[in-house]
Amino acid sequence: MGNKTVAIVTGASGGIGRAVAERFGSLGHDVVVHYGGGAERAAEVVEAVRAAGGRAIAVRADVADGAEVAALFARAQEEFGGVDVVVHTAGIMPLAPIAEMDLADFDRVQRVNVRGTFVVDQAAARSVRAGGAIVNFSTSVTRLQQPGYGAYAASKGAVESLTLILARELRGRDVTVNAVAPGPTATPLFLEGKTPQAIEHIASLAPLGRLGEPADIADAVVGLVASRWINGQVVYVNGGIA
């Protein structure tokens, strides 16, 4: 990749997505800030990317809708001339025991997390230029097997399979495909509804004795994008919790 990298970051109005977008901005990259809801937050991220040194636009799309995702990639092409990096952080995480989960909630998780990854990866596979990278998002819960996370972990197991297969399907393209699997990370989504005691307990599970920060996850994403010899891998970014 040249000095001017064009990156699409899905879910960029959220905690981890925002950290990734801002980090790309600090590297001088052009960033398409994707959001599904929260236009105001997305606008804030655009300003933050610009303040960090990059160019940015915000584009709304339903990640599971092929036409909307195609339009998202078309905007990147029109505005910045192409796509080099796709970081797909967008996802949802409704929790319930398997015996109790409403099937409509299960279907929603699979639509956003599995179909959404498939649709975004399909567009990325058709668009990302040589020397580029695709980074999907899994979760350390696939190893931790925590009760209540059945539907979510199942969706992320599918994401890992898609990631590993796409890496091999892009043979000869000089495009890497990997997944990041964060552990507990101090984002508004994670902290919501948890007592200080629960947060302290979860933080204590990591040998490093703290929760991850969005910046920790962004570090891993930037490293995967920069490396040309890490490919077809799921990288656990959790401070040693699993």
Side-chain angles (χ1 to χ4, degrees), residues 2-234:
N3 291 332
K4 211 48 167 169
T5 296
V6 180
I8 295 175
V9 182
T10 70
S13 62
I16 290 173
R18 176 173 184 153
V20 171
E22 289 185 20
R23 185 66 59 84
F24 284 151
S26 72
L27 295 171
H29 298 340
D30 298 330
V31 184
V32 177
V33 173
H34 160 270
Y35 65 99
E40 288 183 8
R41 291 198 312 274
E44 290 172 7
V45 176
V46 167
E47 290 307 312
V49 171
R50 290 172 178 167
R55 296 189 297 173
I57 57 170
V59 181
R60 198 208 73 81
D62 173 356
V63 292
D65 185 301
E68 292 190 16
V69 170
L72 167 69
F73 277 74
R75 279 294 307 280
Q77 176 71 43
E78 292 162 11
E79 194 76 22
F80 299 128
V83 180
D84 300 294
V85 174
V86 175
V87 180
H88 180 50
T89 80
I92 60 172
M93 191 178 64
L95 304 178
I98 291 168
E100 298 170 17
M101 175 165 263
D102 188 294
L103 286 177
D105 289 336
F106 177 85
D107 288 345
R108 194 162 56 92
V109 174
Q110 308 316 311
R111 181 183 185 276
V112 175
N113 294 0
V114 181
R115 180 185 167 100
T117 299
F118 192 94
V119 170
V120 170
D121 279 6
Q122 187 175 68
R126 295 168 176 171
S127 305
V128 172
R129 297 183 286 208
I134 300 167
V135 181
N136 290 324
F137 265 67
S138 182
T139 172
S140 290
V141 177
T142 55
R143 282 188 178 178
L144 297 173
Q145 293 101 37
Q146 291 163 294
Y149 286 80
Y152 179 69
S155 75
K156 294 302 190 176
V159 168
E160 292 186 7
S161 294
L162 288 171
T163 300
L164 303 186
I165 290 170
L166 183 58
R168 286 148 182 86
E169 289 181 346
L170 295 186
R171 175 183 293 274
R173 287 273 303 279
D174 189 24
V175 173
T176 63
V177 188
N178 295 288
V180 170
T185 305
T187 63
L189 178 68
F190 173 79
L191 297 173
E192 183 181 355
K194 292 184 175 69
T195 65
Q197 293 81 5
I199 293 167
E200 185 177 345
H201 169 70
I202 294 168
S204 74
L205 297 176
L208 295 175
R210 65 174 178 86
L211 294 176
E213 295 291 338
D216 294 320
I217 314 304
D219 286 343
V221 170
V222 169
L224 285 175
V225 170
S227 172
R228 305 313 302 161
W229 201 234
I230 302 176
N231 190 31
Q233 304 298 318
V234 178

